[in-house]
């Protein structure tokens, strides 16, 4: 096996993981055992959810242990296989961790990447978890109808930008909320939003939302929770659907933060709020990926990438994501 | 026309309407004009929503004006008609107001009461808005499945008691939350709940809910908002449905009250909260009433009534409802 570098969790962060919570180390990968595959990673993923993966607070899965390789989606090429389903040269995406070479059980592979006409990096973004999250959250939970007004928070992000564009493809009017003039420009120029609001540049976000959505908000796709969501509640249209996809603006849920009670809004507007997690739709990923790939090929679904070079960039990559420094799906490209 | 007494709004309350906000006065009803019917009311309804009907704060409809008859559902008998659809002797239910004799346009009639084998009073409760609210809120918004745990707040009330019993008919395990030992007994003995919690007798409602719902709460039918609902959030099961039917525990929505943010609960549990208003299902009331009446006749759907005698009891009737003094659907029986 080739020598490999990997990023391990060095200390457990209290809040957002910073560079000092990780350590880059070299290791010699073991030969694969029966049922395992060896993947040379080409792209590592960096995403907001990673804060939860290293947190001691209960979440969807056990936290990453101290000294363990940082859990991560990654995409690369099979270079050795002891599993009959995979052969050297296969492009694969899955839970391969922040490392150059991964020796993993075949169950860690999410799928073989068959859209070989598209860049492999898309398998971690618009044709990965971001894309299917946007697809199922918007279509299955948000239930947009033609003519609806769809409002998206973190509208230029990798999930939000896909939500806005898919909503537009469904015949909806789309309005984005993003932080800063550059992201607002990206919303309007790259992702086709009909309007975009810079929440950092307004003193009265509720008024800005009401102005941008004169017939009310039929679908609110929320990646933030907190003050942005509170500003939207009063502008919900009759029968509105609020999709709870992420809570990026809430730094800690311990103690549980308070906010304006939503019950009366939901009652008067006969609206609903509902959480979504893409993994619940795993059995329908092929359907979603086929449609998403079709829209990417036709140019109707655009995506932005923010690619850091080399594994040494990984330790600071989550923290800088939370500082809002990325301009698209954040990835780390490896040179193996 | 016979002389009639009526209850008018004398002053606008700030909060819960008390006896002094109303005045009983005599009046001589006018002869019906074309399109109008004259109804001798036999039962007047009293319900929590009336607080909203006299409030200056925007709600579903314009508030009752000062000096106007108090808006109310009522049931009675047609004694004169200038509309071809109604004849003297017809039993009807509708928006007839707190008065002994009502001269109203035919559009004020919700329906002719055809279940003449059942007491007319049921048309204002289990076969009225309470029943259809329970029916559509539980079945269409709550979507209960056999084996689900269904938790109901104000479980002995006229909506809650129907929700609990319909959930039981659907094969669910039912748990009620009510205030006081008498209502808890009523839940267990009369309405067939599998368990009931006296929220006034527990110091840790969240723990009591968790104990009574060991597999989590699949459907929470909420008539309260506030502290009772907050105690339920942590015990929601995966994919739970929270039906927002009423917000009785919140005295005022101005300023908007705060509470623990629900977003992360909804996300982690992929749960939803949704408001319901029975009027949205008006086109399906016949379906609901037929099924409800069938269950009443078979003895599978029981109801409790709390009947006050004579129109002079009306002015204090809302306030005493909010004091929790009723033991079933509150009605006023008139003697004409």
């Amino acid at each position: 096996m080739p020598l490999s570098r990997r990023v391990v969790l060095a200390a457990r962060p209290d809040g957002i993981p910073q560079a000092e919570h990780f350590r880059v180390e070299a290791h010699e990968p073991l030969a694969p055992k029966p049922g395992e595959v060896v993947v040379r990673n080409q792209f590592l993923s960096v995403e907001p959810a990673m804060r939860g993966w290293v947190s001691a607070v209960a979440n969807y899965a056990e936290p990453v242990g101290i000294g363990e390789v940082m859990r991560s989606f990654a995409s690369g090429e099979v270079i050795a296989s002891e599993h009959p389903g995979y052969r050297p040269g296969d492009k694969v995406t899955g839970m391969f961790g922040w490392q150059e070479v991964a020796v993993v059980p075949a169950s860690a592979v999410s799928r073989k990447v068959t859209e070989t006409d598209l860049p492999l990096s898309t398998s971690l973004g618009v044709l990965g978890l971001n894309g299917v999250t946007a697809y199922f959250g918007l279509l299955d939970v948000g239930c947009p109808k033609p003519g609806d007004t769809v409002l998206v928070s973190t509208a230029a992000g990798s999930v939000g930008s896909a939500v806005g564009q898919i909503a537009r493809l469904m015949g909806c009017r789309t309005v984005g909320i993003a932080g800063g003039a550059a992201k607002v420009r990206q919303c309007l120029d790259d992702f086709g939003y009909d309007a975009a609001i810079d929440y950092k540049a307004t003193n009265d976000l509720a008024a800005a939302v009401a102005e941008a959505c004169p017939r009310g908000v039929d679908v609110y796709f929320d990646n933030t929770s907190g003050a942005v969501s509170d500003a939207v509640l009063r502008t919900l249209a009759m029968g509105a659907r609020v999709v709870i996809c992420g809570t990026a603006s809430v730094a800690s849920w311990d103690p549980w933060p308070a906010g304006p009670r939503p019950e009366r809004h939901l009652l008067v507007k006969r609206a609903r709020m509902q959480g979504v997690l893409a993994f619940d739709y795993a059995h329908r990923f092929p359907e979603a990926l086929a449609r998403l790939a079709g829209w990417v090929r036709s140019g109707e679904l655009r995506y932005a990438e923010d690619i850091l070079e080399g594994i040494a960039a990984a330790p600071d990559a989550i923290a800088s994501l939370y500082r809002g420094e990325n301009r698209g799906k954040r990835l780390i490209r490896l040179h193996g």
Side-chain angles (χ1 to χ4, degrees), chain A:
Chain A
M1 289 295 114
L3 208 66
S4 163
R5 284 176 299 169
R6 62 189 178 190
V7 180
V8 300
L9 187 65
R12 192 165 301 288
D14 182 18
I16 294 164
Q18 308 292 326
E20 68 259 28
H21 297 108
F22 298 99
R23 184 177 65 241
V24 182
E25 60 182 31
H27 70 119
E28 188 172 0
L30 300 172
K33 294 195 287 284
E36 290 186 334
V37 295
V38 182
V39 179
R40 185 192 301 279
N41 285 329
Q42 293 173 10
F43 291 96
L44 308 179
S45 182
V46 182
E47 44 213 309
M50 287 174 153
R51 180 175 71 175
W53 301 352
V54 297
S55 161
V57 178
N59 215 301
Y60 301 106
E62 283 296 298
V64 177
I66 302 296
E68 288 180 10
V69 175
M70 180 59 193
R71 185 182 302 158
S72 170
F73 292 96
S75 293
E77 186 176 317
V78 174
I79 56 172
S81 172
E82 291 295 329
H83 185 283
Y86 300 96
R87 290 187 306 189
D90 285 347
K91 304 288 186 185
V92 288
T93 185
M95 273 296 198
F96 306 148
W98 272 0
Q99 52 191 339
E100 293 174 329
V101 174
V103 183
V104 292
S107 61
V109 180
S110 305
R111 65 180 183 102
K112 283 193 209 180
V113 179
T114 54
E115 313 79 43
T116 45
D117 57 321
L118 297 173
L120 182 62
S121 59
T122 59
S123 64
L124 293 173
V126 69
L127 300 183
L129 198 57
N130 300 144
V132 296
T133 296
Y135 183 91
F136 292 108
L138 177 67
L139 299 182
D140 273 63
V141 180
C143 304
K145 296 184 300 295
D148 276 355
T149 295
V150 175
L151 178 68
V152 184
S153 72
T154 63
S158 32
V159 174
S161 62
V163 170
Q165 292 176 92
I166 298 170
R168 192 158 170 260
L169 286 165
M170 298 296 131
C172 301
R173 183 168 176 275
T174 59
V175 180
I177 301 177
K183 288 182 178 172
V184 162
R185 269 274 58 88
Q186 207 178 10
C187 283
L188 297 171
D189 296 347
D190 297 341
F191 303 132
Y193 284 91
D194 294 293
I197 299 167
D198 180 358
Y199 74 86
K200 291 182 177 171
T202 175
N203 291 322
D204 188 345
L205 184 56
V209 168
E211 190 185 352
C213 306
R215 289 173 299 163
V217 175
D218 298 295
V219 178
Y220 171 46
F221 195 101
D222 182 30
N223 292 302
T224 58
S225 191
V228 170
S229 297
D230 300 342
V232 176
L233 270 182
R234 283 169 200 262
T235 306
L236 293 182
M238 197 60 69
R241 288 80 68 196
V242 177
V243 183
I244 307 289
C245 177
T247 60
S249 81
V250 177
S252 167
W253 291 91
D254 184 17
W256 211 270
R261 300 197 77 94
E263 286 97 332
R264 192 139 195 97
H265 290 291
L266 299 179
L267 182 54
V268 173
K269 300 294 178 56
R270 279 82 100 189
R272 73 167 186 242
M273 297 175 75
Q274 183 168 348
V276 64
L277 189 74
F279 294 119
D280 295 341
Y281 295 87
H283 58 294
R284 289 179 52 201
F285 281 2
E287 159 205 332
L289 291 168
R291 290 188 79 187
L292 292 164
W295 289 325
V296 171
R297 289 191 185 102
S298 67
E300 293 170 293
L301 176 55
R302 301 173 69 176
Y303 58 93
E305 292 177 336
D306 181 287
I307 298 181
L308 306 176
E309 302 291 342
I311 200 163
D316 183 51
I318 302 170
S320 84
L321 198 68
Y322 275 93
R323 292 193 300 267
E325 291 172 8
N326 62 308
R327 287 287 167 279
K329 168 64 190 173
R330 174 151 283 188
L331 298 168
I332 295 163
R333 191 193 330 250
L334 302 184
H335 311 274

